[in-house]
Amino acid sequence: MRIDLHTHSIASDGTQSPADVVASAAHAGLDVVALTDHDTSSGWAEASAAADRLGLRLVPGVEISCLLRRVSVHLLSYLHDPTDGPLTRMLTGSRTSRESRARLMVDRLSPDTGLRWEDVLEHVHGTATIGRPHIADALVARGVVADRDEAFATLLSGRSKYFVPQTAPDPVEAVRRVRDAGGVPVIAHPAASKRGSCIGDVDIEAMVEAGLAGLEVDHRDHSDAERSHLRDLARSLDLFVTGSSDYHGTGKRNLLGENTTDPESLQRIDELAAATSPSQGAGSA
Ligand code: AMP
Ligand code: FE
Ligand code: FE
Ligand code: ZN
């Protein structure tokens, strides 16, 4: 069984529709794929219909932007109730602050590159969650940079003078919201030091106390040493581990199924989701 638990569609910063992500997953020989767009579940219905047609299992999820001491933390949530009020409000708040933050970055970039907000909107599909990748696409279209990679390495990097940080919820708070909504929280690429600063083991322990269930270990942004450290940490904290592609269509080099998750971990996700009744508001591991 081949399981990939982290992908993006045009509902956020991927380049394929949710149905096409699922079709590509089938093509890549996957049996199970999770759609985990940034801060939105708007792709779930389309992806789920495609999965039914193609005979794969879709695991509905989101990747929630969080911040701790100015360090970016991405929290994956699987199988939560998409109508849960507090979680929905948290995600809506993030999408709103992402838009103001993107506008501020465009304001800073504009004098030097001629970039306008309308240029960025041309690369955002409908109500998709806006992120730096859309600014990157607009810069590519203007001929300022060659591709998203170059944009992130230069103008859009966290060290760039054009960079504006995003405001986002605290990760412990996000874990609680996910559990209260019946979801299963897993930290995405927790030790990806090449992306920037990462939270420490003590911070992860605090998230475990709030109900964190797993760690994404096999991810292309982790070195072998980072993976083995995370595996040990997961064992000591009784967390399950996952492996995923973090596929973004042609927006990133990551390929569907390049890392996969063991069926035992998916079973833990299913069991925890089944045991967590949203109305009971489970808050502990
Ligand atoms: P933001 O969410 O606006 O802070 O932008 C970060 C997003 O950009 C992450 O979700 C990444 O998937 C994506 N990203 C980061 N680096 C790159 C890159 N080099 N090429 C394409 N996408 C990237
Ligand atoms: Fe992304
Ligand atoms: Fe992420
Ligand atoms: Zn992701």
Side-chain angles (χ1 to χ4, degrees):
M1 185 131 86
R2 299 192 67 225
I3 304 164
D4 185 341
L5 291 181
H6 185 166
T7 73
H8 297 263
S9 74
I10 54 171
S12 63
D13 56 359
T15 60
Q16 288 180 305
S17 69
D20 285 347
V21 170
V22 174
S24 296
H27 206 75
L30 293 170
D31 303 289
V32 180
V33 65
L35 182 72
T36 53
D37 277 304
H38 298 284
D39 302 315
T40 185
S41 57
S42 68
W44 287 12
E46 184 186 318
S48 164
D52 285 350
R53 272 198 309 277
L54 295 164
L56 287 77
R57 173 168 175 208
L58 175 85
V59 177
V62 297
E63 184 173 18
I64 304 172
S65 320
C66 305
L67 266 187
L68 182 66
R69 299 185 305 267
R70 285 192 260 161
V71 174
S72 162
V73 183
H74 283 178
L75 184 72
L76 294 160
S77 170
Y78 299 109
L79 298 169
H80 56 266
D81 172 5
T83 67
D84 178 82
L87 182 59
T88 303
R89 280 192 288 280
M90 191 178 80
L91 298 178
T92 304
S94 285
R95 289 203 305 277
T96 308
S97 76
R98 276 170 163 282
E99 176 170 338
S100 2
R101 176 266 197 144
R103 283 178 183 270
L104 285 172
M105 284 190 68
V106 172
D107 287 346
R108 289 188 185 184
L109 284 158
S110 185
D112 293 340
T113 63
L115 187 72
R116 295 162 313 161
W117 181 242
E118 304 81 73
D119 301 329
V120 175
L121 286 184
E122 278 182 29
H123 299 272
V124 181
H125 297 259
T127 60
T129 303
I130 296 181
R132 279 179 287 164
H134 302 106
I135 305 177
D137 292 346
L139 291 166
V140 172
R142 287 193 71 83
V144 179
V145 292
D147 52 24
R148 282 187 181 184
D149 265 348
E150 188 189 339
F152 272 91
T154 59
L155 302 175
L156 303 184
S157 105
R159 288 175 301 278
S160 157
K161 63 177 177 179
Y162 307 111
F163 179 81
V164 177
Q166 195 192 324
T167 52
D170 175 86
V172 167
E173 183 65 22
V175 166
R176 286 205 193 97
R177 292 254 187 275
V178 166
R179 291 298 299 266
D180 286 351
V184 181
V186 175
I187 309 180
H189 42 75
S193 58
K194 64 183 200 186
R195 286 177 173 235
S197 306
C198 297
I199 54 171
D201 294 355
V202 176
D203 303 311
I204 294 178
E205 281 168 36
M207 292 171 73
V208 172
E209 274 172 41
L212 182 74
L215 298 179
E216 186 181 63
V217 172
D218 289 312
H219 184 289
R220 71 155 58 203
D221 291 354
H222 288 153
S223 67
D224 287 346
E226 287 165 345
R227 291 179 200 212
S228 92
H229 174 74
L230 287 173
R231 247 183 261 286
D232 290 345
L233 184 67
R235 204 171 298 118
S236 72
L237 296 173
D238 192 27
L239 301 172
F240 61 78
V241 301
T242 65
S244 319
S245 63
D246 204 352
Y247 177 70
H248 282 68
T250 56
K252 271 183 138 176
R253 296 168 197 277
N254 311 31
L255 298 175
L256 282 164
E258 67 177 25
N259 287 292
T260 54
T261 296
D262 287 340
E264 293 73 33
S265 292
L266 180 58
Q267 196 179 336
R268 293 262 301 262
I269 292 175
D270 285 331
E271 285 166 0
L272 191 55
T276 315
S277 160
S279 60
Q280 285 169 0
S284 64

